[in-house]
Amino acid sequence: MAAAHGQDGVLRRYSTISCVIVAAGIGLATSGITAWLGAAELPGSPRAQHDVCARPEPGSAIAEPAELRSRDGILEVDLSEHDERLPDGTSRYCYVTSDGKSSPTLRVKPGDQLVIHFKNDLVDLAATTPVIDRALAGGPICTAKQEADPCESGAMTPVSTNLHFHGLTVPPVCHQDDVLKTSIQPDDKPFEYRLRIPDDAPPGLYWYHPHLHGFSKTQVLGGASGALIVEGIERADPSLAGLPERVLVIRDQDLVNPDAPPSKFEPVMSKSQLDNDGDVANSGTGFGKPSKDLSVNFVPVPYPNYPPATLSMQPGERQLWRVLNASAITYLNLALLVGRAPQQIGVVGIDGIPLRFQGSPSSAVQWVNHIGLPPGSRAEFVVEGPPAGASALLVTRAVDTGPAGENDPNRALMAIRGTVDAGEPQATLPIAAEPLPPPDRPWVGDVAPVRIRKLFFSERPENPNDPNSPTQFFLTIDGNTPKPFDPQSDVPDIEVRQGDVEDWIIENRSMELHDFHIHQLHFQLRDWSGIAVNEPFLRDTVNVPYYNGRMLKYPSVRLRMDFRDPNIVGTFVYHCHVLEHEDGGMMGRIKVVPRNTATSTTSSDQQKRGEL
C-alpha cells in the first residue's frame, strides 16, 4: 500500500479496492490491519487532541440542537463530520456546520430541496483502537482506489463515511440516499447531497447518520447523528396547532464509569457478565450495569447514579415533544413520572408519520403511559408540564433483550420541574393549519398483498467449537443458508416491483431481541407471533421478539410492506438497526424495479402464491 501526503498534511492511503472480511472460514488478514496501523495518524498530533466534539457535564440543563430552516424552497448547509480520541480511550464523533453549530436539526417542508455540502474531516484514530473494535465479525475493511469516485468507491475504512436520511422516501441513488457504494474519504472535496423532499412527504421526525458498513456502530455510538423534521404535523392533526415543540435526541455512548460499583439504591447484583461482543449482558432483572450510558441532547446520564439532565416547563403547559432514539444498540421504553405515577402522553406520530395519515383509520392521538423505542425509532407526543414546584422524571424502563442480549435497565434520563418562569422552546407550531389533501392511493392496510415472504434473524459463534468466540449475525430469506451480508456483491437478495404491496414475516431464531428496519419505505405491523395486532399506522422500525429456547415455534412479526411509491425504485437495504448486528452482517439487499418490469424474486413459488 502506498501512502502520500495531501495538502493538509494528513497521510493519504491508496491501493486498489481490497477487502478484509472477518467471517466464518475467512479469518482476519492481519497484514491489511498492520498497513492501516502503520499509516495511522499519531494520537499525539494536534488534530487528534483538538476538542471539536465537546459535551455538556452530567446534570446540565437541556439545550435544544441548533435549527436550520429552509427558505424559499431550499435548505443549503455546509456540514462536516469530526472525531476525536478521549484520554480514556473512547472516541467521539460529531457533525459541525461551517459556523460551529453541532449536529443541527434540519427543518424542511414538502417539496423543498435539501442540499448538504458534506466534508469528511475524520482523523484516523486506529493507532489506539483495538483491532477487534475496528473489524467487527462480518465487518469489512475496504480501501479506496486513488482518486476514487465517492459514488463508486465502496471503501469501508475507519475514516470513511457517508450520510443516510433515515425514514425519508427518496431515491436510493448517489447524492441522495445511497449507502451501498457511496463512501467519502478525508481527502475528498466536499460531497454534495441534493435531494428533493416529496410533495406528499409525511410531516414528522426523521434523522441523519452515517451508514458505512462495518463502522456504523462506531460513528453513531460516538455521537454522529442529528434530527431532520418535515414540517406540517399540525396539518394532519389541527389540535396541535400553536403548540411549543421540543426536540430531544437520546444517544448511547460507552460507559463513563465502567469500573464503578452499582449505586447503593439498586439491589445487590451478582458481578456483571459480558456477552460475546464485550457488552454487559442482560441481567433479566431490570437493574445492574447497563451496556451503554445514555445522553439527552448530548447531556450524559452516566452509570451508576444516573444524574438526570434537567428541563424547566411552565406548569400545565402542553408541548409537543419530538423524541429520537439515536442509539447504536440501546432500546428505550420511555415513561413520564410525577412522583412514582406514570403520566399520560398523547402519541401523535411514530417514525416520522402521523398516526392518522394516508387514509389510516387511526385516531389522531393515542394516550398511553409508556412507549417503546428501539434503536432508530422516533415518537412525537404531547406532554403536560408538572404542577408548580413539582418535579417529573422522564425515565426509560428496563427492556428485556433476551438471554443473549445487552443490559438495558431502568434509569432516569431527564428531570422536569414546573416553574412559572420557565423559558419557551425555540420552536412553535403554526397557529393556522391548512388540512392535508386526501390521499391519492388506498390505505396500505386495505390492500391485499401480491405475495408473502419469510425472513429470519439468526446468530452463531464465529468458531462453532468455541461458544465464547465473537458472534456472527445473519438476516436470511427462509430456505437459504445463513451468510453475512456481502458488501462486494451487487446481487439483490430480494427483487420487488414498484407498485406492489407484500407481506413479510420476520422470524427471530436467536435468543436476542432484534430491530427490523428497511430503508426508503414504511410498513404496517399486522400480527405479533401469529396474533393479530390492531395497529392502524405505519413504522419503519419494529422489534422482533426473541426465542427463549423453549417455544414451540420461533417468534415473528408480520409486516405489510408498501412498495407503491415511485421514489423508491433502485437498490437499498434492510437490516437489524442494532448497529453492532448490522455491521456484523445482519443485513440484506433489495432491488425495486420499475412497475412495467417483469420481475423474478428470490421467494419460492409457494411464497409467490401466498401459500405458507
Side-chain angles (χ1 to χ4, degrees), residues 32-380:
I33 297 292
T34 303
W36 268 100
L37 289 174
E41 182 169 352
L42 296 177
S45 68
R47 289 190 69 188
Q49 291 180 339
H50 183 52
D51 188 14
V52 293
C53 298
R55 301 286 192 261
E57 291 297 317
S60 298
I62 288 292
E64 290 189 77
E67 293 188 339
L68 303 177
R69 293 177 176 265
S70 64
R71 292 187 178 182
D72 300 322
I74 188 170
L75 173 56
E76 190 165 5
V77 58
D78 295 332
L79 193 69
S80 57
E81 184 179 354
H82 300 260
D83 61 344
E84 62 182 356
R85 174 75 66 205
L86 302 185
D88 63 5
T90 60
S91 302
R92 285 179 181 168
Y93 290 76
C94 59
Y95 293 119
V96 181
T97 65
S98 56
D99 58 354
K101 295 181 175 68
S102 177
S103 300
T105 298
L106 308 179
R107 287 182 172 266
V108 293
K109 299 175 182 177
D112 280 350
Q113 291 279 344
L114 174 60
V115 181
I116 299 177
H117 305 287
F118 181 66
K119 183 70 176 71
N120 180 348
D121 278 331
L122 296 179
V123 174
D124 192 352
L125 305 174
T128 56
T129 302
V131 168
I132 190 62
D133 288 346
R134 290 184 287 117
L136 295 172
I141 296 178
C142 304
T143 57
K145 293 180 180 178
Q146 183 172 359
E147 306 299 339
D149 178 0
C151 289
E152 299 294 332
S153 165
M156 286 163 281
T157 78
V159 291
S160 304
T161 195
N162 57 22
L163 284 178
H164 169 49
F165 301 95
H166 183 124
L168 288 183
T169 304
V170 293
V173 298
C174 191
H175 298 287
Q176 296 197 53
D177 195 32
D178 165 63
V179 301
L180 287 166
K181 293 186 176 181
T182 301
S183 179
I184 303 156
Q185 315 312 313
D187 292 319
D188 292 340
K189 64 182 181 181
F191 182 84
E192 183 176 278
Y193 281 95
R194 179 180 291 269
L195 48 142
R196 184 178 184 275
I197 308 302
D199 292 333
D200 60 352
L205 177 62
Y206 303 83
W207 64 301
Y208 58 94
H209 64 85
H211 206 293
L212 205 287
H213 185 59
F215 299 94
S216 295
K217 173 196 168 185
T218 299
Q219 296 187 27
V220 173
L221 185 68
S225 56
L228 190 157
I229 292 173
V230 176
E231 306 279 22
I233 194 170
E234 73 283 352
R235 299 181 63 195
D237 180 4
S239 71
L240 303 177
L243 284 186
E245 52 179 319
R246 192 176 295 278
V247 176
L248 300 173
V249 182
I250 300 174
R251 300 172 173 92
D252 58 4
Q253 63 183 62
D254 288 325
L255 294 177
V256 175
N257 306 306
D259 300 322
S263 167
K264 62 182 181 181
F265 299 107
E266 284 203 354
V268 176
M269 302 289 297
S270 61
K271 185 177 180 180
S272 297
Q273 300 296 312
L274 300 182
D275 64 17
N276 293 348
D277 305 300
D279 296 315
V280 179
N282 180 22
S283 71
T285 66
F287 298 96
K289 182 187 295 185
S291 290
K292 303 296 177 187
D293 278 334
L294 292 171
S295 68
V296 185
N297 289 2
F298 285 124
V299 178
V301 187
Y303 166 84
N305 295 318
Y306 308 121
T310 62
L311 174 71
S312 296
M313 288 181 66
Q314 294 185 13
E317 179 184 37
R318 295 173 73 243
Q319 293 183 357
L320 175 67
W321 284 8
R322 303 183 187 260
V323 181
L324 158 63
N325 184 1
S327 297
I329 71 169
T330 303
Y331 293 83
L332 301 176
N333 185 5
L334 300 178
L336 187 64
L337 309 179
V338 175
R340 295 180 178 271
Q343 304 299 295
Q344 292 288 298
I345 58 175
V347 178
V348 297
I350 294 289
D351 289 351
I353 297 191
L355 298 190
R356 188 165 63 195
F357 187 75
Q358 294 178 335
S360 161
S362 174
S363 59
V365 58
Q366 292 192 17
W367 293 93
V368 298
N369 61 17
H370 68 102
I371 183 167
L373 290 182
S377 188
R378 294 87 66 209
E380 295 163 277

Side-chain angles (χ1 to χ4, degrees), residues 538-556:
L538 301 179
R539 299 177 178 268
D540 64 31
T541 57
V542 66
N543 286 340
V544 185
Y546 64 83
Y547 177 63
N548 66 10
R550 303 182 303 274
M551 298 171 174
L552 297 179
K553 64 179 182 178
Y554 293 115
S556 66

